[in-house]
Amino acid sequence: MQWEEPEMEPRPPAWPLLCLLLLCQSSCAGVGAQTYPDFKLQQPQSSEVVIKGDTLTLNCTVSGSGPVGPVKWVKGWGSDNQTVYEHKGSFPRVMRAVPDPSNDFTIRISNVSLEDAGTYYCVKFRKGTVDDVVFTKGGGTEVSVHARPSVPVVSGPSHRAVPGQSVPFTCSAKEFSPRDIRVKWLKNSTLVRAEPPHVTPELSNSSYRMSSTLQVKLSEDDVRSELTCEVQHPTLAAPLRKTYALHQALRVPPSVSVVAAPSGAVEVNKTVNFTCRVQGFYPGAVNVSWLENGTEMNTGNSTQPTETSRGLFELNDTVTVQAGEEKSGFKFTCLVVHEDQEPISGTGILWVTPPALGESNEGLIGDSKSLIYVAVGVVCTVLALLVIAILYLIRTKQSKGYTSRRRAAGPPPRRSLTPTT
Ligand SMILES: *[C@@H]1O[C@H](CO)[C@@H](O)[C@H](O)[C@H]1NC(C)=O
Ligand SMILES: *[C@@H]1O[C@H](CO)[C@@H](O)[C@H](O)[C@H]1NC(C)=O
Ligand SMILES: *[C@@H]1O[C@H](CO)[C@@H](O)[C@H](O)[C@H]1NC(C)=O
Ligand SMILES: *[C@@H]1O[C@H](CO)[C@@H](O)[C@H](O)[C@H]1NC(C)=O
Ligand SMILES: *[C@@H]1O[C@H](CO)[C@@H](O)[C@H](O)[C@H]1NC(C)=O
Ligand SMILES: *[C@@H]1O[C@H](CO)[C@@H](O)[C@H](O)[C@H]1NC(C)=O
Ligand SMILES: *[C@@H]1O[C@H](CO)[C@@H](O)[C@H](O)[C@H]1NC(C)=O
Ligand SMILES: *[C@@H]1O[C@H](CO)[C@@H](O)[C@H](O)[C@H]1NC(C)=O
Ligand SMILES: *[C@@H]1O[C@H](CO)[C@@H](O)[C@H](O)[C@H]1NC(C)=O
Ligand SMILES: *[C@@H]1O[C@H](CO)[C@@H](O)[C@H](O)[C@H]1NC(C)=O
Ligand SMILES: *[C@@H]1O[C@H](CO)[C@@H](O)[C@H](O)[C@H]1NC(C)=O
């Protein structure tokens, strides 16, 4: 509406100048310039791209003599315009490139935001009685604001996974513009194939966000592997990278075995060390407890977990047991709890040499001696019986008439002496 006013106002005095207006139309820029034929306003940039946060320079110069009135910068045209800069007033982010007074009305807008996108006009006003009225304007500079993506964020699974499991990793970046963005995944600097990223507009519609998901099958050797997400965008001179250490997502359960020292059977009251060897686990913390034949016993002595060259951990936990006779055949079970998982167990068995075996050796010696005594006893008894029998026979003969005491007494003593020799 105000646009019309300059034409209406100068109309009555301009009637005689109509021919001049028609003549100069090709060379005169802007309407109303007819009264100031050598006035020129130049806004050379038709479009400009600026990166969010950077400084935007908008050029405008005037030359020749014009009407009294200010030069202003206006964003948009029509009802939703906005004065970006004028000499009076406060525009904190805007500065003149060349200080006033000057014909160079170039401005610099610092810390450009996405909302700064739009068309900017350099406008010469004519001082009016109430309001300034538009005298002439430049062709407009169309400003687009690009935005660098935020530093990517890589997230892993919410719970640690064991080797062999395939788990998702997500890389995301936001608030970038234009839409085209490329994402690369690297595992230990080796390119990994991934689906193209998912790009969606931000709520404001002026920029985008992206998210890229990669499935990784974990292995024991990944304790020291790294996953890298690399983002490339037209606003970036070099790609943005974010690295994720895979050990954060990995749980390697231990292998558990129990070793007895000394191995094999031990004598009563000797001590035996049962060592629980807990090997190849990550992260490096475990809780070890022991069961003596199924019931809880005192805790063992643990070594500090030591890190192996592969980045996994191991430790030994030892219980010392006195070999009571009644404990032979007892199972000593080591329970290893890793990362709140079900315990993993290993078992050793105590073998105690029965004390009866030691005594029975002595017993055997005793038995052999008594056997000899028994044998001797038996032989003597037999001989004694023989002597009695012979004596009986002799007496029977004597009763028949043969009397000889010397003969009868002679032979028996000789025979009874033979076993003792
Ligand atoms: C814009 O104005 C500045 C300051 O006067 C000048 O240095 C620069 O060369 C101008 N650029 C263009 C494209 O006219
Ligand atoms: C700017 O907008 C206002 C209304 O919001 C209007 O009165 C004025 O004429 C407009 N100016 C320009 C240069 O478009
Ligand atoms: C730039 O503007 C943003 C808001 O758009 C603000 O948060 C930030 O602090 C500003 N930076 C500087 C250097 O003024
Ligand atoms: C963003 O764009 C969608 C569709 O193009 C529209 O429905 C929505 O209102 C826009 N949001 C804003 C904040 O401009
Ligand atoms: C990745 O590199 C680390 C050392 O930089 C190595 O320990 C690991 O085994 C490697 N992982 C794979 C999967 O090659
Ligand atoms: C059992 O371990 C202790 C130390 O913990 C050691 O002094 C002892 O010699 C070990 N005994 C055997 C039989 O290995
Ligand atoms: C074993 O020790 C107990 C007491 O500590 C004792 O009574 C027993 O005689 C010992 N047994 C042997 C075979 O040494
Ligand atoms: C070991 O036990 C302690 C105390 O009960 C507990 O705080 C810790 O989380 C456990 N550690 C593991 C690896 O289970
Ligand atoms: C020890 O366990 C074994 C088998 O589990 C069982 O036969 C034996 O009776 C147990 N001994 C004791 C003293 O609990
Ligand atoms: C642990 O070791 C100490 C000294 O080395 C010893 O006194 C203690 O009895 C041991 N504990 C167990 C349960 O073996
Ligand atoms: C555990 O004990 C074994 C011998 O039984 C030894 O070779 C190993 O180094 C020990 N490990 C640790 C972590 O102490």
Side-chain angles (χ1 to χ4, degrees), residues 301-325:
N301 276 341
S302 241
T303 60
Q304 282 298 314
T306 55
E307 196 174 352
T308 66
S309 56
R310 291 167 70 202
L312 302 174
F313 288 86
E314 60 180 36
L315 65 74
N316 288 339
D317 191 285
T318 304
V319 280
T320 302
V321 175
Q322 187 162 27
E325 195 185 331

Side-chain angles (χ1 to χ4, degrees), residues 73-118:
W73 278 94
V74 175
K75 184 186 169 198
W77 204 254
S79 56
D80 61 344
N81 67 79
Q82 178 195 343
T83 300
V84 170
Y85 181 80
E86 61 180 304
H87 185 62
K88 56 177 182 150
S90 167
F91 303 91
R93 288 194 295 136
V94 187
M95 266 187 67
R96 285 278 291 276
V98 178
D100 221 25
S102 168
N103 287 337
D104 190 337
F105 290 92
T106 297
I107 54 166
R108 295 207 171 107
I109 305 175
S110 63
N111 194 19
V112 167
S113 69
L114 290 165
E115 292 71 37
D116 288 337

Side-chain angles (χ1 to χ4, degrees), residues 285-288 337-341:
V286 286
N287 278 343
V288 181
V337 176
H338 185 231
E339 285 270 308
D340 294 332
Q341 300 296 304

Side-chain angles (χ1 to χ4, degrees), residues 1 26 46 75 83 136 160 166 191 235 237 244 274 402 407:
M1 286 183 276
S26 54
S46 60
K75 184 186 169 198
T83 300
T136 188
R160 291 179 188 272
S166 184
L191 196 65
T235 55
Y244 184 100
F274 283 98
Y402 299 100
R407 277 181 209 166

